[in-house]
Amino acid sequence: MQKEDFFTYQAQTSPHPLGLEVSRAKGSYIYDQDGNPHLDFVAGVSACGLGHCHPRVVEAIKTQVDQYMHVMVYGEYVQQPAVEFAKLLASHLPKKLETTYLVNSGTEAMEGALKLARRHTGRSQIIAANRAYHGNTTGSLSLMGFEERKSAFRPLMPDIRFIDFNSEEDLQKITEKTAGVVLETIQGGAGFILPQNGYLEKVRKRCDEVGAMLILDEIQPGFGRTGKLFAFQHFNCVPDILVIGKGMASGLPVGAFVASKEMMADLQDHPKFGHITTFGGNPVIAAASLATLRELTETELIPQTLEKEKHFRKLLVHPLIKEIRGKGLMLAPIMESKEVTDYLVLEAAKKGLILFWLLFESKAVRISPPLTISMKEIEEGCDKILAILNSYKPGAVN
Ligand SMILES: Cc1ncc(COP(=O)(O)O)c(C=O)c1O
């Protein structure tokens, strides 16, 4: 009944939605209407880093809801959860990333970052990477390095050029005309591609040479998923603007862009209200963000992601798995073919294991579980994956 209404009254954006009927979620599991558990290896697409309904986050939300929920547009009133979150975040970041602008989603954070880079440099050109994903509003969509998914929405934002991620040669395309270079620290939709051979350091150097702003999109790898609070902290490269979201509020809608105080001041004048939002910095969401950041930084969850990665890599050995890309709990087994990937994701859904695809790499399977997942739960999920792969026969997917 509810499923019928879902298809009748709610818009879908894929031809065959998975359609799991959710009743509740806790820890690493989502429970359906019949009470069946589904082990969640996707975590709301990397958003539920602390698992579902983490008690510390739930408590912080409830406490805040009892005090006040929304009082004024962003940046006018002093609201304790947002102030404390921004201060704590700054204490875990390099000095030049000291000021945070809170918004409603990852894509809005990217829009804000683009505006800030243009406003700060007085230039318009933006450089992005092929096979990049930065969100779905028009500005972010313009940066998507995958024509098939954006051509229907043209004309998009002008003055954008593309480079190949990890190509040193392409860095020459970054010039004195460039306002900002936007990169995912680890490319997500492309198949969890890590920067190689000092790539980010070289991009940083080139940006410094020409006065372009380096914008790193950490919406997916951020908040501990790769073994550091942010993935750029694995490299000797600090962005001018850091863009974050997803795992930040443990499942509530959120995003932020972070830069120096001096740079951020550009949004205060000429024009004033250089970026405004009604709900950005919402106190309930900020309280969830603060509780999440405290939990991540006061426990061993972040370093433990690397132990958990090792466990996955040890267990996921099968002739149909050609390699496993990614880092920490952002892993993408690459299957022999797209058909194997489709079979695995769809069969897993029937067997109580949640997996998903990546946007542009059709042979990849997304594994981005909660950081709180236990070794036993990892074993439970990997056993299912191996059993499904053992049952695969060519032609199994129509
Ligand atoms: C790297 C990256 N950037 C931006 C976004 C967009 O974030 P949101 O969906 O919150 O707008 C995503 C979401 O998947 C992402 O993975």
Side-chain angles (χ1 to χ4, degrees):
M1 184 59 186
Q2 208 169 59
K3 211 172 207 168
E4 261 173 45
D5 286 349
F6 167 72
F7 284 107
T8 308
Y9 298 109
Q10 218 186 319
Q12 288 90 37
T13 56
S14 71
H16 307 291
L18 290 172
L20 176 70
E21 291 188 70
V22 179
S23 71
R24 66 190 181 90
K26 184 79 190 151
S28 302
Y29 293 90
I30 299 177
Y31 297 85
D32 64 28
Q33 293 293 349
D34 299 321
N36 300 312
H38 298 255
L39 178 58
D40 191 358
F41 270 14
V42 174
V45 192
S46 300
C48 306
L50 294 181
H52 296 284
C53 299
H54 190 282
R56 191 168 181 177
V57 179
V58 171
E59 176 70 34
I61 293 169
K62 286 183 174 165
T63 305
Q64 186 55 42
V65 165
D66 281 341
Q67 287 167 347
Y68 59 101
M69 292 202 289
H70 174 70
V71 285
M72 188 41 162
V73 293
Y74 183 78
E76 292 298 308
Y77 288 179
V78 182
Q79 301 175 50
Q80 188 199 353
V83 175
E84 280 194 42
F85 171 75
K87 186 176 173 190
L88 183 61
L89 183 64
S91 76
H92 290 283
L93 286 172
K95 176 75 181 96
K96 77 173 186 179
L97 297 173
E98 67 202 324
T99 310
T100 296
Y101 193 125
L102 295 156
V103 293
N104 304 281
S105 63
T107 195
E108 189 193 352
M110 182 51 69
E111 302 283 345
L114 293 177
K115 287 166 68 183
L116 183 58
R118 285 179 157 179
R119 170 70 182 81
H120 188 69
T121 58
R123 307 173 183 176
S124 72
Q125 184 188 75
I126 301 288
I127 295 204
N130 288 314
R131 289 164 71 78
Y133 181 75
H134 299 290
N136 249 274
T137 49
T138 301
S140 305
L141 186 64
S142 310
L143 309 176
M144 188 195 276
F146 199 76
E147 196 51 39
E148 202 183 303
R149 290 276 173 91
K150 69 175 179 183
S151 57
F153 307 106
R154 287 190 179 283
L156 294 166
M157 198 169 89
D159 214 2
I160 298 184
R161 297 191 70 188
F162 286 89
I163 57 176
D164 279 340
F165 192 76
N166 275 327
S167 160
E168 208 175 321
E169 203 182 306
D170 276 7
L171 297 184
Q172 291 315 311
K173 293 183 183 165
I174 304 169
T175 67
E176 274 82 8
K177 289 192 178 147
T178 310
V181 177
V182 184
L183 295 172
E184 293 163 89
T185 310
I186 295 177
Q187 280 205 311
F192 293 179
I193 311 290
L194 280 119
Q196 277 157 14
N197 304 322
Y199 178 65
L200 286 183
E201 289 83 346
K202 288 170 193 161
V203 177
R204 176 70 275 175
K205 187 163 169 280
R206 183 67 188 151
C207 285
D208 288 341
E209 279 164 11
V210 299
M213 297 297 105
L214 175 58
I215 303 169
L216 285 185
D217 179 342
E218 290 257 358
I219 289 166
Q220 180 148 216
F223 291 95
R225 194 154 279 287
T226 71
K228 299 263 187 197
L229 187 58
F230 296 103
F232 79 84
Q233 293 168 323
H234 290 288
F235 308 97
N236 188 19
C237 167
V238 176
D240 300 293
I241 310 176
L242 175 67
V243 183
I244 55 182
K246 281 203 193 275
M248 181 170 155
S250 290
L252 294 193
V254 77
F257 54 105
V258 187
S260 70
K261 180 99 194 124
E262 179 223 343
M263 212 174 153
M264 236 18 140
D266 288 338
L267 296 177
Q268 281 180 295
D269 225 338
H270 303 99
K272 69 177 181 181
F273 296 123
H275 189 76
I276 44 173
T277 150
T278 300
F279 291 123
N282 172 275
V284 180
I285 294 174
S289 303
L290 179 59
T292 303
L293 188 55
R294 283 185 175 149
E295 183 67 14
L296 286 173
T297 53
E298 290 169 11
T299 65
E300 291 304 304
L301 277 172
I302 296 180
Q304 281 167 2
T305 60
L306 298 176
E307 295 306 311
K308 291 173 184 175
E309 172 188 358
K310 276 190 205 148
H311 207 45
F312 268 113
R313 287 186 184 276
K314 195 179 88 197
L315 295 169
L316 287 181
V317 177
H318 191 279
L320 292 174
I321 302 177
K322 294 299 152 195
E323 73 177 290
I324 299 181
R325 295 199 195 133
K327 193 167 177 65
L329 289 177
M330 187 177 165
L331 295 174
I334 307 296
M335 299 297 146
E336 188 182 75
S337 64
K338 176 182 179 308
E339 194 193 334
V340 177
T341 300
D342 292 348
Y343 179 74
L344 175 56
V345 174
L346 296 171
E347 280 302 303
K350 292 181 204 156
K351 295 186 165 58
L353 174 66
I354 300 176
L355 298 171
F356 211 61
W357 296 267
L358 293 187
L359 274 175
F360 313 136
E361 175 46 84
S362 62
K363 291 182 189 171
V365 176
R366 164 186 287 279
I367 296 186
S368 58
L371 275 50
T372 47
I373 195 166
S374 69
M375 292 297 196
K376 207 165 147 281
E377 289 163 346
I378 292 174
E379 285 154 26
E380 180 192 325
C382 289
D383 282 351
K384 284 192 179 172
I385 291 175
L386 296 177
I388 293 167
L389 291 178
N390 284 337
S391 71
Y392 171 76
K393 291 192 180 56
V397 182
N398 301 317

